[in-house]
Amino acid sequence: MAVPPEAAGQAAESRGGSADAPHKRQEKRDRVVIRFAGDSGDGMQLTGMQFTSESALAGNDIATLPDFPAEIRAPAGTLAGVSGFQLNFSSNEIFTAGDEPNVLVAMNPAALKANIDDVPPNGVIIVDREAFTDANLKRAGYSGNPLTDHSLDKFQVIQVDVTKMTSSALHGSGLSNRDVFRTRNMFVLGMLSWLYQRPIESTIKYLDARFKKRPEILEANIKTLKAGYNYGETAELFTSSYEVPPAKINPGLYRNITGNSATALGFVAASVKSGRPLFLGSYPITPASDVLHELSGYKNFPIYTFQAEDEIAGVSSAIGAAFGGAIAITTTSGPGMNLKAEAIGLAVKTELPIVITDIQRAGPSTGMPTKPEQADLLMAIYGRHGEAPLPVVAAATPADCFECAYEAVRIALKYMTPVILLTDGQLANGAEPWLVPDPDQLRDIKVELRTDPEGFLPYIRDEETLSRPWAVPGTKGLEHRIGGLSGENLTGNVSYSPANNELMVRTRARKIAGIAREYPPTEIFGDTGGGDLVILGWGSTYGPIREGVKQLREKGKRVSHIHLRYMNPLPRDLEDKLRQFKKVMIAEMNMGQLLKLVRADYLIDAFGFNKIQGRPFKVSEIVNRANRALEG
Amino acid sequence: MATALTRKDFVSDQEVRWCPGCGDYAILAGVQKMMPEFGVAPENVVFISGIGCSSRFPYYMNTYGFHTIHGRAPAFATGLKVSRPELDVWVVTGDGDGLSIGGNHLIHVLRRNVDLKILLFNNRIYGLTKGQYSPTSEVGKVTKSTPLGSVDFPFNPLTVALGAHATFVARTVDVEQKHLGETLKRAHDHRGASFIEILQNCNIFNDGAFNDVTDKGIKAEHQLILEHGKPLIFGKNRDKGIRLNGHRPEVVALGNGVSESDLIVHDETNLALAFMLGNFEAPLPTPIGVFYATSRPTYDAAINKQLAEAKSKQGPGDLRKLLMSGDTWTVD
């Protein structure tokens, strides 16, 4: 689907507009990208999320990309403190939060300055005029006032006195100036809700729940929200409002979900379906902590959450719980993965089922904690000393995190192995509508704890899967010892026998390689019988690649898309599928890690398209690079 | 239980492989001897260890066992105990494993008061890596890695544990089998994190480190056996005691106007006293026994209580309801 350049381009006549018409025109748009930007304390994330909910309830397809600073509260009004939230909503199926915003809402000069480069010519910029004070302009590094110096002439700038209007709406409320100021975001939300004809009931419901205990704040927020909505209708800044009709999507019950929520729910579902309690051992880290927060709220399932003293204790406690028969999880991001490596190796050697979730962020070292990257792939596959293979699963979209988390647990239990689940900061905080699955339709997860002492040995194996029995403490007659030292085949007794060591290394490798047997066939989006170019991707690049390939195909280009979910072992049919194409391009948010694997494993002369900016690919970047490849 | 458990029920079929003469043999024998008395069936007992000589321990117990990674045994044990609170979980560690690489986990497991029995074998040396100084080695210690003597100020395991607000802190000695057994029993009876420092001789790399408290000829003059409610008396003829001189403890000879009533009476519930005893250095004797024992809710019980309360309040988890929570909408 092409991004119509005019999408919301003429969203409003600025500076003036028509003088008549209490009932304004309504125009149709099939797709709009809005970016809300303000100070960290301006509530832009909340505004964005509520607008997202409203849009989802209006039946649009949606995709979001929050973009917040790592600093908790950088000094107000500075570029470092700018927090953004981008939302793409459409009456068609969409895959990304959009390359560039049609509409930018900038609550202060810093927010304008930090985002202006992304706004296309003729794009709409809505600003709070009163925030453009000399002091704020200086803090943002402006020498003049962009609202008056004609530097914004190529855009449609709509200046609204948000602060003043909010104050008027709450006149006589008795609230402090600070509390009044803090409801400014609701005015903006109300105004945008009118402009795009969003229902505000869900936001009112949300506010009801959030400020239940503070009725005066609740009332103020609702008042301001409605004031913004009415202002949109009556003020003369906007000549028309816009309708983005519902998208045609599969019937069913939907909810809006972020990747971290979906990950948490996937684990809960796996625990319920397997009939085993869930144990999460985790140390807080951006952007993974939300999974810990969410699971901490579901104790009645039962779910154990243990906030450990460090990353190592997080994974170690999970392995201890797995030894005891729990569905054991640990969640982290890059720096935590480094610390967990030794314990993961122990889980490989002792063949205990745990899922390590790496919500990747930009590195190396502390890097950019709130920004996404895909540079942990090789670490996930190989990052342990010794021969320590394990399965790696990667989620493609926020909602896909549910299925991947569920699948990771299923594989861990079936094959008695640690599994690494890869998501990233973009999936973690990004949201999309999710067709809520019927629990009865989820794939079965069978758990058979060993109880029979007859013929029991700790490392006796299932003939098909090569997995060893799960024999948990408390089971009479199965007392046994496991550990990290090289162990004798079957008994696990400490052994330094050279031949035995090789046998065990090869057996574990064979077990992991065998998992690929049960993968579904690799799907090709595009030319199933071969074509000019295939773009291979994995993880959160799904959106831009799929959107880009759709656009290219609409122009008649023979470009296809393969997206991997199983990163290790790779699907057995992948090599053949890739060889059908004249060219193979691998787009990744790293320096070419999947590229290395494909070239090494298949001797296919693939080439990489790489971006390491802590930002997702733009659709246009994929399209342009593919076009170059087709020409070259 | 149908038949009474015996020592043999807890002995695994694995050949014990410590150096001949190692203090670990005595500790293993003491633990295996005591286990039947605790009345817990072998299948409900789990020994978890880290890395080091001491950490081979689980292989020799015919219970469930997990030989994990260096320093992290308390974390593995926490995960197991929290999710399986009915199990009897023991941690075996050493001065290097527990106080150097694993110091962080040790203090946190103690402050949380996870219901684990923690045995720290202290030989004041690295044995498995063949003779480097450990975090309990004395300043000046000449080892392979400190040819000119260590300049590294040591930890005192007991005061580390007390500082972490452990609820049970004791010290015993490898070769004092009766005292070892009694101390294990006390630790096992305690609900919460029980910490026992076991002075253990490494006859290869640090032989005689605790001679003053183990040598039959002199130990009575150097060993102070702590008993709750009793005055601090020691010496072959039980003619010496510990008295407070202002705030400082001192050794006094009984008689000549000094009587038992002048001596400090041991009180296991007194944290300040436990700290003072934990810091005893020559010429004061080396106390052994229970320094401190107090009651505090255990972490594992508290967590399980929260789970039970959540279940009784909200009912058992309903997956369908959970998946359908939040703002939902229906597409026809």
Side-chain angles (χ1 to χ4, degrees):
Chain A
M1 179 187 62
V3 188
E6 77 291 355
Q10 299 84 28
E13 296 282 306
S14 63
R15 304 192 189 100
S18 61
D20 52 356
H23 299 290
K24 295 186 178 175
R25 275 185 304 138
Q26 227 186 53
E27 292 176 23
K28 268 198 185 159
R29 291 282 181 268
D30 64 7
R31 173 181 182 147
V32 177
V33 178
I34 299 181
R35 186 182 297 175
F36 297 93
D39 219 44
S40 293
D42 282 342
M44 290 297 100
Q45 300 300 322
L46 174 67
T47 309
M49 283 189 293
Q50 281 310 312
F51 196 86
T52 303
S53 285
E54 293 177 2
S55 298
L57 289 169
N60 292 137
D61 198 5
I62 52 173
T64 69
L65 179 66
D67 181 23
F68 35 80
E71 288 82 359
I72 297 164
R73 278 293 155 84
T78 62
L79 290 175
V82 174
S83 168
F85 187 102
Q86 184 162 312
L87 162 70
N88 184 358
F89 56 104
S90 171
S91 51
N92 292 310
E93 191 184 11
I94 48 171
F95 300 95
T96 76
D99 283 5
E100 47 192 25
N102 311 118
V103 180
L104 169 68
V105 177
M107 299 295 279
N108 65 11
L112 179 68
K113 189 161 193 193
N115 292 285
I116 190 71
D117 289 347
D118 294 337
V119 183
N122 213 32
V124 175
I125 299 173
I126 301 175
V127 296
D128 180 4
R129 176 163 48 199
E130 294 159 281
F132 283 68
T133 60
D134 289 347
N136 280 348
L137 287 164
K138 204 172 148 205
R139 267 187 217 117
Y142 276 116
S143 49
N145 186 347
L147 300 185
T148 55
D149 67 6
H150 297 285
S151 62
L152 301 177
D153 281 358
K154 64 174 172 173
F155 307 106
Q156 306 177 63
V157 181
I158 299 174
Q159 304 184 28
V160 183
D161 293 329
V162 176
T163 307
K164 194 165 96 193
M165 231 96 63
T166 302
S167 301
S168 313
L170 298 181
H171 183 72
S173 67
L175 290 181
S176 68
N177 284 344
R178 186 163 170 270
D179 282 340
V180 169
F181 188 76
R182 288 177 62 165
T183 66
R184 286 195 316 156
N185 61 334
M186 286 299 121
F187 189 90
V188 171
L189 179 58
M191 198 166 64
L192 271 292
S193 298
W194 175 82
L195 189 59
Y196 292 101
Q197 296 296 298
R198 314 278 91 176
I200 56 173
E201 285 72 23
S202 68
T203 298
I204 293 174
K205 211 171 107 193
Y206 166 85
L207 293 169
D208 269 337
R210 179 166 164 149
F211 297 114
K212 210 185 318 183
K213 288 183 182 146
R214 302 189 62 192
E216 72 287 358
I217 300 288
L218 169 65
E219 200 193 334
N221 273 286
I222 293 176
K223 232 180 194 169
T224 315
L225 176 71
K226 287 183 173 167
Y229 193 92
N230 294 334
Y231 176 80
E233 186 159 38
T234 52
E236 304 197 334
L237 295 168
F238 309 111
T239 51
S240 57
S241 67
Y242 299 90
E243 187 198 359
V244 180
K248 284 184 205 74
I249 37 184
N250 291 330
L253 182 78
Y254 281 80
R255 66 183 278 195
N256 187 22
I257 198 150
T258 64
N260 272 348
S261 263
T263 302
L265 293 178
F267 290 142
V268 179
S271 165
V272 170
K273 293 290 276 191
S274 64
R276 305 298 309 163
L278 188 70
F279 179 95
L280 170 70
S282 185
Y283 186 76
I285 185 170
T286 302
S289 305
D290 280 342
V291 180
L292 168 63
H293 304 161
E294 179 143 358
L295 288 175
S296 300
Y298 306 146
K299 294 197 183 332
N300 58 325
F301 268 80
I303 292 174
Y304 294 95
T305 52
F306 172 56
Q307 183 175 314
E309 59 270 25
D310 62 22
E311 294 282 357
I312 299 171
V315 65
S316 298
S317 63
I319 297 171
F323 184 54
I327 305 293
I329 310 293
T330 188
T331 47
T332 190
S333 190
M337 285 300 284
N338 297 347
L339 289 166
K340 291 178 196 292
E342 185 190 10
I344 298 170
L346 177 71
V348 169
K349 159 59 180 66
T350 54
E351 301 183 52
L352 284 170
I354 63 164
V355 174
I356 304 103
T357 309
D358 175 8
I359 300 168
Q360 298 167 98
R361 66 190 219 188
S365 191
T366 308
M368 298 192 283
T370 56
K371 313 292 181 196
E373 200 171 79
Q374 298 183 303
D376 296 354
L377 177 63
L378 291 179
M379 172 168 71
I381 299 176
Y382 296 115
R384 290 159 295 284
H385 70 278
E387 296 287 353
L390 50 69
V392 178
V393 180
T397 72
D400 190 45
C401 291
F402 176 86
E403 286 185 41
C404 287
Y406 190 87
E407 176 71 351
V409 174
R410 192 191 66 80
I411 292 174
L413 298 177
K414 182 167 177 179
Y415 294 91
M416 289 293 284
T417 176
V419 176
I420 291 178
L421 170 65
L422 293 176
T423 75
D424 66 34
Q426 185 194 350
L427 298 175
N429 295 308
E432 66 177 344
W434 178 45
L435 178 59
V436 179
D438 178 350
D440 295 338
Q441 304 297 316
L442 294 172
R443 198 166 172 184
D444 267 339
I445 300 185
K446 263 191 239 147
V447 172
E448 284 174 30
L449 295 181
R450 174 86 185 207
T451 53
D452 186 4
E454 188 63 36
F456 168 75
L457 288 167
Y459 290 88
I460 194 166
R461 290 177 194 278
D462 179 89
E463 281 180 18
E464 188 209 330
T465 62
L466 297 183
S467 73
R468 76 177 190 91
W470 204 3
V472 304
T475 318
K476 195 173 169 57
L478 301 188
E479 297 86 351
H480 66 282
R481 277 66 55 192
I482 57 173
L485 282 169
S486 187
E488 184 184 56
N489 189 28
L490 302 173
T491 66
N493 290 334
V494 176
S495 165
Y496 281 67
S497 151
N500 178 77
N501 190 63
E502 178 154 342
L503 172 68
M504 296 314 293
V505 166
R506 290 191 182 279
T507 302
R508 286 189 295 266
R510 205 147 54 84
K511 176 177 86 166
I512 301 306
I515 298 170
R517 267 187 321 241
E518 59 167 300
Y519 293 168
T522 299
E523 276 177 38
I524 299 175
F525 172 78
D527 305 310
T528 50
D532 294 333
L533 173 70
V534 63
I535 304 178
L536 178 65
W538 65 279
S540 70
T541 54
Y542 173 82
I545 297 176
R546 180 57 53 100
E547 177 73 32
V549 168
K550 277 184 86 172
Q551 290 181 19
L552 287 157
R553 294 187 68 77
E554 277 164 15
K555 297 228 160 77
K557 307 284 171 70
R558 298 191 68 217
V559 179
S560 305
H561 178 198
I562 294 178
H563 210 75
L564 292 178
R565 182 190 248 180
Y566 299 102
M567 307 311 297
N568 193 53
L570 287 170
R572 292 180 171 180
D573 60 357
L574 180 61
E575 180 179 357
D576 285 347
K577 300 233 157 138
L578 293 177
R579 285 197 187 282
Q580 295 173 13
F581 294 89
K582 288 183 192 150
K583 288 184 176 174
V584 178
M585 167 171 135
I586 302 181
E588 302 176 84
M589 285 149 63
N590 59 37
M591 293 276 279
Q593 300 197 2
L594 176 60
L595 177 70
K596 268 203 176 65
L597 294 176
V598 165
R599 292 178 64 95
D601 286 5
Y602 307 142
L603 294 176
I604 286 177
D605 190 18
F607 63 95
F609 180 39
N610 308 96
K611 182 172 180 178
I612 319 105
Q613 301 178 8
R615 285 189 166 197
F617 284 110
K618 289 183 176 178
V619 176
S620 56
E621 291 168 338
I622 298 284
V623 169
N624 293 342
R625 183 66 187 88
N627 275 328
R628 266 207 294 140
L630 290 169
E631 286 159 14
Chain B
M1 216 164 299
T3 51
L5 293 163
T6 68
R7 178 183 163 275
K8 276 171 90 178
D9 291 314
F10 292 92
V11 178
S12 83
D13 61 358
Q14 294 297 292
E15 190 190 338
V16 184
R17 291 183 196 158
W18 285 305
C19 306
C22 175
D24 289 356
Y25 284 95
I27 303 172
L28 176 64
V31 172
Q32 286 172 336
K33 183 170 157 244
M34 286 306 294
M35 291 309 287
E37 292 196 23
F38 300 151
V40 182
E43 69 265 23
N44 293 324
V45 178
V46 185
F47 276 84
I48 298 185
S49 64
I51 295 292
C53 296
S54 60
S55 290
R56 300 294 178 98
F57 197 94
Y59 289 118
Y60 310 130
M61 297 295 297
N62 191 31
T63 62
Y64 283 88
F66 200 171
H67 180 209
T68 70
I69 52 176
H70 206 6
R72 323 299 175 192
F76 287 88
T78 298
L80 179 62
K81 182 68 185 179
V82 164
S83 56
R84 296 288 307 279
E86 76 281 14
L87 296 172
D88 196 14
V89 184
W90 297 68
V91 170
V92 179
T93 184
D95 43 317
D97 188 62
L99 290 169
S100 193
I101 192 168
N104 192 36
H105 308 299
L106 184 67
I107 57 175
H108 287 285
V109 81
L110 292 175
R111 78 170 166 85
R112 287 191 185 106
N113 199 31
V114 184
D115 187 16
L116 304 170
K117 314 303 143 204
I118 302 166
L119 312 181
L120 185 142
F121 300 5
N122 183 11
N123 57 15
R124 307 185 79 176
I125 197 78
Y126 281 151
L128 195 69
T129 51
K130 301 189 173 56
Q132 302 81 13
Y133 75 105
S134 91
T136 58
S137 297
E138 62 277 18
V139 171
K141 182 97 186 160
V142 174
T143 71
K144 284 183 184 164
S145 56
T146 51
L148 302 182
S150 162
V151 296
D152 210 330
F153 188 80
F155 257 150
N156 173 336
L158 289 182
T159 53
V160 168
L162 290 166
H165 283 259
T167 56
F168 180 94
V169 176
R171 176 192 281 150
T172 187
V173 187
D174 52 4
V175 291
E176 297 283 349
Q177 283 291 296
K178 185 159 169 285
H179 190 265
L180 173 69
E182 286 164 0
T183 310
L184 289 170
K185 176 86 169 63
R186 283 291 311 275
H188 189 261
D189 288 347
H190 178 75
R191 292 278 71 85
S194 312
F195 178 83
I196 307 180
E197 178 195 18
I198 305 177
L199 305 182
Q200 175 247 325
N201 192 41
C202 174
N203 59 322
I204 305 295
F205 295 108
N206 201 18
D207 197 21
F210 305 108
N211 258 357
D212 53 345
V213 286
T214 56
D215 188 298
K216 288 211 167 66
I218 57 167
K219 71 176 186 183
E221 304 304 321
H222 295 277
Q223 207 186 67
L224 170 65
I225 299 174
L226 301 173
E227 288 178 273
H228 182 61
K230 303 232 172 116
L232 302 182
I233 297 177
F234 67 106
K236 196 171 174 191
N237 303 316
R238 298 192 58 75
D239 55 358
K240 285 187 252 181
I242 308 293
R243 180 176 74 175
L244 272 183
N245 181 359
H247 295 294
R248 292 178 186 278
E250 63 178 6
V251 176
V252 288
L254 287 168
N256 289 332
V258 179
S259 74
E260 284 191 18
S261 62
D262 296 317
L263 303 181
I264 298 170
V265 174
H266 185 45
D267 175 2
E268 289 173 1
T269 66
N270 184 334
L271 184 58
L273 177 60
F275 260 109
M276 189 177 81
L277 291 166
N279 280 315
F280 270 24
E281 282 176 9
L284 293 166
T286 301
I288 64 171
V290 178
F291 285 62
Y292 184 62
T294 190
S295 174
R296 196 167 77 222
T298 69
Y299 180 83
D300 43 294
I303 288 272
N304 279 284
K305 191 167 159 232
Q306 282 193 342
L307 262 61
E309 282 170 3
K311 193 173 164 186
S312 76
K313 250 188 221 160
Q314 304 162 9
D318 182 335
L319 179 59
R320 188 177 302 271
K321 221 168 99 188
L322 175 65
L323 297 182
M324 288 167 51
S325 63
D327 278 339
T328 59
W329 68 96
T330 305
V331 175
D332 299 317

